Amino acid sequence: MIRNILIGVLTVGIVGVGIWGYQEHKEKNAILINAENNYQRAFHELTYNIDILHDKIGTTLAMSSRTSLSPTLAEVWRITSEANNSVGQLPLTLLPFNKTEEFLSNIGDFSYKTAVRDLEKEPLTDEEYKTLQSLYSQAAEIQNELRKVQHLTLKNNLRWMDVEMAIASGKEAADNTIIDGFKTVEKKVEGYSETDMGPIMTSMEKKESGYRNLPGKKITKNEAVNIAKKYTKVSQNAKTKVVENGKGSDFGFYSVSIQDKNGETNMDITKKGGYPIWLINSRDVKEQKISLNDASIKANQFLTERGFKDLELFESTQYDHIGLFNFVTKKNNVRIYPESIMVKVALDDGSIIGFSAEQYLGTNNKHKEIPSAKISEEEARKAINKNVNVMETRLAIINNEVNDEVLCYEFLGTLDNDTYRIYVNAQDGSEEYVEKLQNAEPIYEDVANGKA
Protein backbone atom coordinates (compact mmCIF):
# COMPACT_ATOMS: atom_id res chain seq x y z
CA MET A 1 0.00 0.00 0.00
CA ILE A 2 2.73 2.42 1.05
CA ARG A 3 4.69 1.35 -2.03
CA ASN A 4 1.75 2.27 -4.26
CA ILE A 5 1.37 5.63 -2.53
CA LEU A 6 5.09 6.40 -3.02
CA ILE A 7 4.87 5.40 -6.68
CA GLY A 8 1.84 7.65 -7.06
CA VAL A 9 3.59 10.59 -5.38
CA LEU A 10 6.72 10.11 -7.52
CA THR A 11 4.59 9.89 -10.65
CA VAL A 12 2.79 13.11 -9.79
CA GLY A 13 6.16 14.73 -9.00
CA ILE A 14 7.69 13.64 -12.31
CA VAL A 15 4.64 14.85 -14.23
CA GLY A 16 4.77 18.15 -12.31
CA VAL A 17 8.46 18.63 -13.10
CA GLY A 18 7.78 17.80 -16.72
CA ILE A 19 4.96 20.35 -16.94
CA TRP A 20 7.12 22.97 -15.19
CA GLY A 21 10.02 22.24 -17.55
CA TYR A 22 7.77 22.48 -20.57
CA GLN A 23 6.32 25.78 -19.32
CA GLU A 24 9.82 27.18 -18.71
CA HIS A 25 10.90 26.06 -22.19
CA LYS A 26 7.78 27.61 -23.71
CA GLU A 27 8.31 30.94 -21.92
CA LYS A 28 12.00 31.01 -22.89
CA ASN A 29 11.11 30.37 -26.52
CA ALA A 30 8.51 33.16 -26.40
CA ILE A 31 11.16 35.61 -25.10
CA LEU A 32 13.66 34.53 -27.79
CA ILE A 33 11.04 34.86 -30.53
CA ASN A 34 10.08 38.33 -29.30
CA ALA A 35 13.75 39.44 -29.22
CA GLU A 36 14.33 38.00 -32.71
CA ASN A 37 11.28 39.81 -34.07
CA ASN A 38 12.48 43.11 -32.58
CA TYR A 39 15.94 42.64 -34.12
CA GLN A 40 14.45 41.80 -37.52
CA ARG A 41 12.19 44.84 -37.39
CA ALA A 42 15.04 47.19 -36.41
CA PHE A 43 17.28 45.84 -39.20
CA HIS A 44 14.66 46.17 -41.93
CA GLU A 45 13.77 49.66 -40.68
CA LEU A 46 17.47 50.61 -40.82
CA THR A 47 17.75 49.34 -44.40
CA TYR A 48 14.57 51.17 -45.40
CA ASN A 49 15.73 54.43 -43.77
CA ILE A 50 19.07 54.28 -45.58
CA ASP A 51 17.16 53.81 -48.85
CA ILE A 52 15.04 56.89 -48.13
CA LEU A 53 18.08 58.83 -46.91
CA HIS A 54 19.91 58.20 -50.17
CA ASP A 55 16.90 59.32 -52.20
CA LYS A 56 16.33 62.47 -50.12
CA ILE A 57 19.96 63.58 -50.39
CA GLY A 58 19.73 63.00 -54.15
CA THR A 59 16.60 65.17 -54.22
CA THR A 60 18.43 68.11 -52.62
CA LEU A 61 21.02 68.06 -55.42
CA ALA A 62 18.32 68.74 -58.00
CA MET A 63 16.62 71.56 -56.08
CA SER A 64 17.02 75.21 -56.82
CA SER A 65 14.16 76.59 -54.71
CA ARG A 66 15.23 77.63 -51.22
CA THR A 67 11.67 77.07 -49.92
CA SER A 68 11.85 73.42 -51.02
CA LEU A 69 15.44 72.81 -49.93
CA SER A 70 15.01 73.70 -46.23
CA PRO A 71 12.17 71.22 -45.48
CA THR A 72 13.93 68.48 -47.47
CA LEU A 73 17.14 68.94 -45.47
CA ALA A 74 15.06 68.86 -42.29
CA GLU A 75 13.61 65.56 -43.51
CA VAL A 76 17.16 64.23 -44.06
CA TRP A 77 17.94 65.13 -40.44
CA ARG A 78 14.82 63.28 -39.23
CA ILE A 79 15.66 60.16 -41.24
CA THR A 80 19.23 60.01 -39.93
CA SER A 81 17.84 60.15 -36.37
CA GLU A 82 15.54 57.23 -37.12
CA ALA A 83 18.38 55.27 -38.73
CA ASN A 84 20.61 55.79 -35.68
CA ASN A 85 17.73 54.73 -33.46
CA SER A 86 17.40 51.48 -35.45
CA VAL A 87 21.14 50.83 -35.09
CA GLY A 88 20.79 51.25 -31.33
CA GLN A 89 18.21 48.45 -31.22
CA LEU A 90 20.49 45.88 -32.90
CA PRO A 91 22.83 43.56 -30.92
CA LEU A 92 25.97 45.37 -32.09
CA THR A 93 27.22 46.62 -28.72
CA LEU A 94 30.36 44.51 -28.86
CA LEU A 95 30.83 44.90 -32.60
CA PRO A 96 32.61 48.05 -33.87
CA PHE A 97 29.96 50.15 -35.61
CA ASN A 98 30.81 53.54 -34.17
CA LYS A 99 32.09 55.04 -37.45
CA THR A 100 28.77 54.33 -39.16
CA GLU A 101 26.83 55.88 -36.27
CA GLU A 102 29.19 58.87 -36.42
CA PHE A 103 28.63 59.16 -40.18
CA LEU A 104 24.85 59.23 -39.71
CA SER A 105 25.19 61.81 -36.92
CA ASN A 106 27.37 63.96 -39.19
CA ILE A 107 24.76 63.89 -41.94
CA GLY A 108 22.11 64.84 -39.40
CA ASP A 109 24.14 67.76 -38.03
CA PHE A 110 25.05 69.05 -41.49
CA SER A 111 21.47 68.88 -42.79
CA TYR A 112 19.96 70.43 -39.64
CA LYS A 113 22.41 73.33 -39.46
CA THR A 114 21.83 74.04 -43.13
CA ALA A 115 18.04 73.69 -42.93
CA VAL A 116 17.52 76.10 -40.02
CA ARG A 117 19.42 79.01 -41.51
CA ASP A 118 17.91 81.53 -43.94
CA LEU A 119 18.91 80.07 -47.30
CA GLU A 120 17.68 83.18 -49.10
CA LYS A 121 20.32 85.25 -47.35
CA GLU A 122 22.89 82.43 -47.03
CA PRO A 123 22.45 80.00 -49.94
CA LEU A 124 24.43 76.77 -50.21
CA THR A 125 28.10 77.39 -50.93
CA ASP A 126 30.03 75.44 -53.57
CA GLU A 127 31.76 73.57 -50.74
CA GLU A 128 28.42 72.59 -49.16
CA TYR A 129 27.09 71.44 -52.52
CA LYS A 130 30.17 69.23 -52.94
CA THR A 131 29.52 67.88 -49.43
CA LEU A 132 25.99 66.88 -50.47
CA GLN A 133 27.33 65.17 -53.59
CA SER A 134 29.83 63.25 -51.48
CA LEU A 135 27.16 62.25 -48.96
CA TYR A 136 24.93 61.06 -51.81
CA SER A 137 27.58 58.69 -53.17
CA GLN A 138 28.56 57.46 -49.70
CA ALA A 139 24.93 56.78 -48.75
CA ALA A 140 24.65 54.73 -51.95
CA GLU A 141 27.56 52.52 -50.86
CA ILE A 142 26.04 51.91 -47.43
CA GLN A 143 22.66 51.25 -49.03
CA ASN A 144 24.21 48.69 -51.37
CA GLU A 145 26.01 46.80 -48.60
CA LEU A 146 22.95 46.71 -46.32
CA ARG A 147 20.82 45.47 -49.21
CA LYS A 148 23.28 42.61 -49.71
CA VAL A 149 23.02 41.66 -46.03
CA GLN A 150 19.23 41.91 -46.17
CA HIS A 151 19.06 39.69 -49.27
CA LEU A 152 21.24 36.99 -47.72
CA THR A 153 19.40 37.21 -44.40
CA LEU A 154 16.05 36.57 -46.07
CA LYS A 155 17.39 34.01 -48.53
CA ASN A 156 19.14 31.88 -45.89
CA ASN A 157 16.63 32.55 -43.09
CA LEU A 158 19.39 33.90 -40.81
CA ARG A 159 18.66 34.79 -37.19
CA TRP A 160 19.81 37.84 -35.28
CA MET A 161 19.84 35.86 -32.02
CA ASP A 162 22.73 33.86 -33.51
CA VAL A 163 24.54 37.16 -34.08
CA GLU A 164 24.03 38.19 -30.46
CA MET A 165 25.31 34.84 -29.19
CA ALA A 166 28.31 34.91 -31.54
CA ILE A 167 29.31 38.42 -30.45
CA ALA A 168 28.78 37.71 -26.75
CA SER A 169 30.90 34.55 -26.94
CA GLY A 170 33.68 36.31 -28.82
CA LYS A 171 33.21 34.11 -31.90
CA GLU A 172 32.31 36.90 -34.29
CA ALA A 173 35.35 36.00 -36.42
CA ALA A 174 33.55 32.86 -37.58
CA ASP A 175 31.63 32.74 -40.85
CA ASN A 176 28.62 34.89 -40.08
CA THR A 177 26.94 36.70 -42.96
CA ILE A 178 25.35 39.44 -40.85
CA ILE A 179 28.49 40.24 -38.85
CA ASP A 180 30.67 40.20 -41.97
CA GLY A 181 28.20 42.50 -43.73
CA PHE A 182 28.21 45.07 -40.95
CA LYS A 183 32.00 44.92 -40.75
CA THR A 184 32.11 45.73 -44.47
CA VAL A 185 29.81 48.72 -43.95
CA GLU A 186 32.00 49.95 -41.07
CA LYS A 187 35.17 49.53 -43.14
CA LYS A 188 33.73 51.54 -46.04
CA VAL A 189 32.58 54.36 -43.76
CA GLU A 190 35.99 54.43 -42.07
CA GLY A 191 37.51 55.22 -45.44
CA TYR A 192 35.43 58.37 -45.92
CA SER A 193 37.42 61.55 -45.50
CA GLU A 194 36.63 63.60 -42.41
CA THR A 195 36.83 66.79 -44.48
CA ASP A 196 33.87 65.64 -46.58
CA MET A 197 31.52 66.83 -43.86
CA GLY A 198 32.79 70.40 -43.79
CA PRO A 199 33.46 72.35 -40.59
CA ILE A 200 31.03 70.55 -38.28
CA MET A 201 31.53 68.81 -34.99
CA THR A 202 28.91 66.33 -33.86
CA SER A 203 27.96 65.38 -30.34
CA MET A 204 29.42 61.91 -30.91
CA GLU A 205 32.75 63.35 -32.03
CA LYS A 206 32.81 65.62 -28.99
CA LYS A 207 32.09 62.71 -26.69
CA GLU A 208 34.74 60.49 -28.29
CA SER A 209 37.25 63.33 -28.04
CA GLY A 210 36.46 63.61 -24.33
CA TYR A 211 36.94 59.87 -23.81
CA ARG A 212 40.23 59.86 -25.74
CA ASN A 213 41.63 62.66 -23.59
CA LEU A 214 40.81 61.16 -20.21
CA PRO A 215 43.85 61.30 -17.92
CA GLY A 216 45.47 58.17 -16.55
CA LYS A 217 47.10 54.96 -17.71
CA LYS A 218 45.44 51.96 -19.31
CA ILE A 219 44.13 49.46 -16.80
CA THR A 220 44.01 45.65 -16.88
CA LYS A 221 40.98 43.38 -16.56
CA ASN A 222 41.85 42.62 -12.94
CA GLU A 223 42.08 46.32 -12.15
CA ALA A 224 38.67 46.82 -13.78
CA VAL A 225 37.18 44.17 -11.46
CA ASN A 226 38.71 45.86 -8.40
CA ILE A 227 37.31 49.23 -9.48
CA ALA A 228 33.87 47.68 -10.03
CA LYS A 229 33.91 46.23 -6.50
CA LYS A 230 34.54 49.70 -5.08
CA TYR A 231 31.27 50.83 -6.65
CA THR A 232 29.28 47.86 -5.38
CA LYS A 233 28.70 46.13 -2.06
CA VAL A 234 29.63 42.56 -2.95
CA SER A 235 31.29 39.71 -1.11
CA GLN A 236 34.87 38.74 -1.87
CA ASN A 237 33.80 35.39 -3.33
CA ALA A 238 31.33 36.96 -5.78
CA LYS A 239 31.46 35.59 -9.32
CA THR A 240 32.97 38.04 -11.81
CA LYS A 241 33.20 38.15 -15.58
CA VAL A 242 35.04 40.70 -17.72
CA VAL A 243 34.63 41.35 -21.45
CA GLU A 244 36.88 43.71 -23.40
CA ASN A 245 34.77 46.01 -25.58
CA GLY A 246 35.21 48.90 -27.94
CA LYS A 247 37.48 47.12 -30.41
CA GLY A 248 38.05 49.42 -33.35
CA SER A 249 36.82 52.41 -31.35
CA ASP A 250 38.98 55.36 -30.36
CA PHE A 251 38.11 54.64 -26.75
CA GLY A 252 37.89 51.16 -25.25
CA PHE A 253 36.18 49.89 -22.13
CA TYR A 254 35.68 46.79 -20.01
CA SER A 255 32.25 45.33 -19.27
CA VAL A 256 32.31 43.81 -15.78
CA SER A 257 29.59 41.50 -14.47
CA ILE A 258 29.46 40.68 -10.73
CA GLN A 259 27.02 38.16 -9.30
CA ASP A 260 26.35 37.35 -5.64
CA LYS A 261 23.42 36.87 -3.26
CA ASN A 262 22.31 40.49 -3.83
CA GLY A 263 21.77 39.89 -7.55
CA GLU A 264 23.78 40.75 -10.64
CA THR A 265 25.59 44.05 -11.14
CA ASN A 266 26.89 45.11 -14.56
CA MET A 267 29.33 47.92 -15.10
CA ASP A 268 31.31 49.52 -17.95
CA ILE A 269 34.73 51.01 -17.13
CA THR A 270 37.07 52.91 -19.46
CA LYS A 271 40.35 51.20 -20.27
CA LYS A 272 42.15 54.51 -20.01
CA GLY A 273 42.13 55.78 -16.45
CA GLY A 274 39.60 53.21 -15.20
CA TYR A 275 36.65 55.61 -15.07
CA PRO A 276 33.15 54.20 -14.47
CA ILE A 277 30.78 54.83 -17.39
CA TRP A 278 27.64 53.23 -15.99
CA LEU A 279 26.46 50.71 -13.42
CA ILE A 280 23.20 48.85 -12.98
CA ASN A 281 22.05 46.36 -10.35
CA SER A 282 19.09 44.28 -11.46
CA ARG A 283 17.75 43.26 -8.03
CA ASP A 284 14.09 43.66 -7.05
CA VAL A 285 13.47 46.69 -4.86
CA LYS A 286 11.09 45.97 -1.97
CA GLU A 287 8.87 48.19 0.14
CA GLN A 288 10.04 51.79 0.62
CA LYS A 289 11.69 52.49 3.99
CA ILE A 290 13.64 55.72 3.39
CA SER A 291 12.53 59.11 2.06
CA LEU A 292 13.52 60.62 -1.28
CA ASN A 293 15.46 63.31 0.60
CA ASP A 294 17.46 60.72 2.58
CA ALA A 295 18.16 58.87 -0.68
CA SER A 296 19.49 62.07 -2.28
CA ILE A 297 21.95 62.43 0.64
CA LYS A 298 23.13 58.86 0.05
CA ALA A 299 23.52 59.54 -3.69
CA ASN A 300 25.58 62.66 -3.00
CA GLN A 301 27.72 60.78 -0.46
CA PHE A 302 28.28 57.98 -2.98
CA LEU A 303 29.67 60.47 -5.53
CA THR A 304 31.76 62.42 -3.02
CA GLU A 305 33.43 59.30 -1.62
CA ARG A 306 34.45 58.31 -5.15
CA GLY A 307 36.14 61.59 -6.01
CA PHE A 308 33.44 63.45 -7.94
CA LYS A 309 33.69 67.17 -7.15
CA ASP A 310 31.79 70.42 -7.80
CA LEU A 311 28.46 68.65 -8.26
CA GLU A 312 25.01 69.97 -7.40
CA LEU A 313 21.73 68.08 -7.27
CA PHE A 314 19.62 69.32 -10.16
CA GLU A 315 16.62 66.98 -10.31
CA SER A 316 15.12 64.23 -8.17
CA THR A 317 12.31 61.91 -9.18
CA GLN A 318 10.69 58.85 -7.64
CA TYR A 319 9.49 55.85 -9.63
CA ASP A 320 7.80 53.17 -7.52
CA HIS A 321 10.41 52.40 -4.83
CA ILE A 322 13.39 53.91 -6.67
CA GLY A 323 14.85 57.42 -6.42
CA LEU A 324 16.47 58.90 -9.55
CA PHE A 325 18.88 61.83 -9.03
CA ASN A 326 20.54 64.04 -11.61
CA PHE A 327 23.70 65.92 -10.58
CA VAL A 328 25.42 68.60 -12.68
CA THR A 329 28.77 70.35 -12.37
CA LYS A 330 28.65 73.80 -10.78
CA LYS A 331 31.59 76.21 -11.09
CA ASN A 332 31.64 79.89 -10.19
CA ASN A 333 27.87 79.61 -9.53
CA VAL A 334 27.29 78.46 -13.13
CA ARG A 335 25.56 75.14 -13.75
CA ILE A 336 27.18 73.11 -16.54
CA TYR A 337 24.38 70.87 -17.77
CA PRO A 338 26.44 68.88 -20.34
CA GLU A 339 28.47 67.54 -17.38
CA SER A 340 25.77 65.47 -15.69
CA ILE A 341 25.72 62.28 -13.62
CA MET A 342 22.66 60.13 -12.91
CA VAL A 343 22.31 58.03 -9.73
CA LYS A 344 19.54 55.53 -8.88
CA VAL A 345 18.92 54.68 -5.24
CA ALA A 346 16.78 51.84 -3.90
CA LEU A 347 14.35 53.25 -1.35
CA ASP A 348 14.14 50.00 0.63
CA ASP A 349 17.70 50.10 1.98
CA GLY A 350 19.35 53.17 0.38
CA SER A 351 21.77 51.16 -1.77
CA ILE A 352 22.99 52.45 -5.14
CA ILE A 353 21.44 50.37 -7.94
CA GLY A 354 22.21 52.59 -10.93
CA PHE A 355 24.82 55.13 -12.02
CA SER A 356 25.65 56.83 -15.32
CA ALA A 357 28.59 59.20 -15.93
CA GLU A 358 28.56 58.87 -19.72
CA GLN A 359 27.89 62.58 -20.40
CA TYR A 360 30.21 63.69 -17.61
CA LEU A 361 33.13 61.70 -19.04
CA GLY A 362 32.26 62.66 -22.62
CA THR A 363 32.93 66.31 -21.85
CA ASN A 364 36.09 65.33 -19.89
CA ASN A 365 35.28 68.01 -17.32
CA LYS A 366 36.71 70.51 -19.79
CA HIS A 367 35.10 73.69 -18.47
CA LYS A 368 38.14 75.07 -16.68
CA GLU A 369 37.11 78.65 -17.45
CA ILE A 370 33.54 79.93 -17.63
CA PRO A 371 32.87 82.64 -20.27
CA SER A 372 31.51 85.99 -19.13
CA ALA A 373 27.99 87.14 -19.97
CA LYS A 374 27.83 90.06 -22.43
CA ILE A 375 24.34 91.17 -21.44
CA SER A 376 22.80 91.75 -18.03
CA GLU A 377 20.07 89.68 -16.41
CA GLU A 378 17.64 92.57 -16.92
CA GLU A 379 18.38 92.65 -20.66
CA ALA A 380 17.91 88.86 -20.89
CA ARG A 381 14.49 89.14 -19.20
CA LYS A 382 13.23 91.12 -22.22
CA ALA A 383 13.18 87.88 -24.23
CA ILE A 384 10.73 86.27 -21.79
CA ASN A 385 6.96 86.30 -22.20
CA LYS A 386 5.65 89.06 -19.91
CA ASN A 387 2.98 86.69 -18.54
CA VAL A 388 5.64 84.37 -17.05
CA ASN A 389 6.22 84.88 -13.33
CA VAL A 390 10.00 84.45 -12.83
CA MET A 391 10.91 82.81 -9.51
CA GLU A 392 14.61 81.95 -9.92
CA THR A 393 17.49 83.06 -12.13
CA ARG A 394 20.98 81.66 -12.60
CA LEU A 395 23.70 81.34 -15.23
CA ALA A 396 24.05 77.97 -16.96
CA ILE A 397 25.84 76.32 -19.87
CA ILE A 398 23.61 74.18 -22.09
CA ASN A 399 23.76 72.44 -25.45
CA ASN A 400 21.50 74.21 -27.94
CA GLU A 401 19.53 72.52 -30.73
CA VAL A 402 22.60 72.18 -32.96
CA ASN A 403 24.60 70.85 -30.02
CA ASP A 404 26.79 73.92 -29.55
CA GLU A 405 27.50 74.86 -25.95
CA VAL A 406 26.18 78.30 -25.01
CA LEU A 407 26.18 80.37 -21.82
CA CYS A 408 22.62 81.29 -20.88
CA TYR A 409 20.52 82.91 -18.22
CA GLU A 410 18.27 80.19 -16.86
CA PHE A 411 14.89 81.50 -15.70
CA LEU A 412 12.56 79.29 -13.68
CA GLY A 413 9.04 80.65 -13.95
CA THR A 414 5.35 79.84 -13.87
CA LEU A 415 2.53 80.52 -16.30
CA ASP A 416 -0.95 79.64 -15.04
CA ASN A 417 -0.54 76.18 -13.48
CA ASP A 418 2.61 75.19 -15.38
CA THR A 419 6.30 75.66 -14.58
CA TYR A 420 8.95 76.37 -17.22
CA ARG A 421 12.70 76.63 -17.57
CA ILE A 422 13.59 79.31 -20.10
CA TYR A 423 17.16 79.70 -21.38
CA VAL A 424 18.21 83.04 -22.87
CA ASN A 425 21.59 83.41 -24.58
CA ALA A 426 23.85 85.47 -22.31
CA GLN A 427 25.79 86.81 -25.30
CA ASP A 428 23.06 88.14 -27.60
CA GLY A 429 19.76 87.88 -25.67
CA SER A 430 18.13 85.35 -28.00
CA GLU A 431 15.83 82.65 -26.64
CA GLU A 432 17.72 79.36 -26.85
CA TYR A 433 15.41 76.80 -25.29
CA VAL A 434 12.16 76.51 -23.35
CA GLU A 435 11.36 73.44 -21.25
CA LYS A 436 8.00 72.73 -19.63
CA LEU A 437 8.48 70.86 -16.38
CA GLN A 438 6.30 67.86 -15.66
CA ASN A 439 3.41 68.34 -13.29
CA ALA A 440 2.74 65.79 -10.57
CA GLU A 441 1.12 62.68 -12.01
CA PRO A 442 -2.50 62.24 -10.91
CA ILE A 443 -3.56 58.98 -9.28
CA TYR A 444 -5.78 57.67 -12.02
CA GLU A 445 -7.74 55.43 -9.70
CA ASP A 446 -8.76 58.52 -7.74
CA VAL A 447 -9.55 60.38 -10.95
CA ALA A 448 -11.81 57.55 -12.09
CA ASN A 449 -13.59 57.61 -8.74
CA GLY A 450 -14.03 61.36 -8.89
CA LYS A 451 -11.71 62.04 -5.95
CA ALA A 452 -9.17 64.23 -7.78
Side-chain angles (χ1 to χ4, degrees), residues 51-96:
D51 285 347
I52 301 300
L53 179 65
H54 176 248
D55 292 342
K56 286 292 181 183
I57 295 174
T59 302
T60 63
L61 295 175
M63 286 182 173
S64 58
S65 168
R66 309 287 184 238
T67 55
S68 299
L69 186 56
S70 286
T72 304
L73 285 169
E75 184 70 3
V76 169
W77 169 69
R78 182 189 65 80
I79 294 167
T80 57
S81 296
E82 291 186 0
N84 253 333
N85 181 54
S86 296
V87 171
Q89 296 177 51
L90 293 173
L92 301 173
T93 308
L94 311 185
L95 183 68

Side-chain angles (χ1 to χ4, degrees), residues 162-176 179 183:
D162 295 335
V163 175
E164 186 173 43
M165 292 174 65
I167 295 174
S169 63
K171 297 179 180 178
E172 65 265 28
D175 182 19
N176 189 302
I179 294 177
K183 282 184 175 180

